Amino acid sequence: MSELRELYQNTILDHNKQPRNFRVPGGATCHADGHNPLCGDKVTVHVAVDGGALRDIGFQGSGCAISTASASLMTEAVKGKSIEETLRLFDEFHALLTTGGEASEALGKLAVFGGVREFPMRVKCATLAWHTLRTALGGKHETVKTE
Ligand code: ZN
């Protein structure tokens, strides 16, 4: 168990240190800002939507290790997926962090955040980028705030 925990921690540390897709993608069609005042996490998610799919995605901002790693892993997980698949993945990710249970295969590396469930404050850090992505895809230009 401790080895597994270490593996999870290493994935989060790696993505915090070297965030993937930390940029504004070319041809971005929508974006949204997210803010988690409890922790001070701020993220802006940019998406290039093309034909109902996320052709490219990137993010910018600053926050704690959990929020940065979550945004980084999220961009890897949803790039190339359809909007429908992306929203379904968000539901599964959210369920993993709030109601528990086994991570589905679809979640892949995102399963590393399963342990965050034990820390309710951290759940907001881990889901901030996802809430922000959903708002960006909904085309609403408002700042997402977790409370
Ligand atoms: Zn945070």
Side-chain angles (χ1 to χ4, degrees), residues 32-37 39-45 62-64 66-68 70-71 74 90 93-94 97 122-135 143-147:
D33 300 312
H35 183 209
N36 174 16
C39 180
D41 309 316
K42 282 188 175 166
V43 67
T44 302
V45 176
S62 63
C64 66
I66 298 276
S67 70
T68 301
S70 178
M74 176 187 79
F90 173 55
F93 183 69
H94 197 259
L97 267 66
R122 291 295 180 193
V123 169
K124 300 190 190 309
C125 301
T127 55
L128 177 66
W130 286 88
H131 283 294
T132 307
L133 170 61
R134 191 170 60 178
T135 299
T143 300
V144 178
K145 267 200 186 175
T146 59
E147 344 183 327

Side-chain angles (χ1 to χ4, degrees), residues 63-122:
C64 66
I66 298 276
S67 70
T68 301
S70 178
S72 173
L73 280 153
M74 176 187 79
T75 60
E76 283 198 323
V78 303
K79 199 194 275 190
K81 284 202 163 60
S82 70
I83 291 175
E84 205 173 287
E85 285 172 314
T86 298
L87 295 178
R88 205 179 312 138
L89 201 58
F90 173 55
D91 285 342
E92 289 191 24
F93 183 69
H94 197 259
L96 174 72
L97 267 66
T98 53
T99 57
E102 288 290 305
S104 72
E105 213 161 293
L107 286 173
K109 277 196 222 167
L110 297 171
V112 299
F113 292 98
V116 170
R117 189 169 60 242
E118 295 164 41
F119 310 96
M121 294 271 292
R122 291 295 180 193

Side-chain angles (χ1 to χ4, degrees), residues 5-69:
R5 198 165 281 239
E6 206 167 292
L7 173 75
Y8 285 181
Q9 277 176 356
N10 285 342
T11 302
I12 289 171
L13 290 177
D14 172 44
H15 278 262
N16 176 50
K17 217 164 147 190
Q18 292 180 295
R20 318 301 199 267
N21 304 305
F22 192 78
R23 60 187 168 77
V24 180
T29 55
C30 54
H31 74 274
D33 300 312
H35 183 209
N36 174 16
L38 278 177
C39 180
D41 309 316
K42 282 188 175 166
V43 67
T44 302
V45 176
H46 301 268
V47 195
V49 177
D50 190 8
L54 284 70
R55 186 172 52 76
D56 203 357
I57 178 169
F59 77 101
Q60 295 193 301
S62 63
C64 66
I66 298 276
S67 70
T68 301

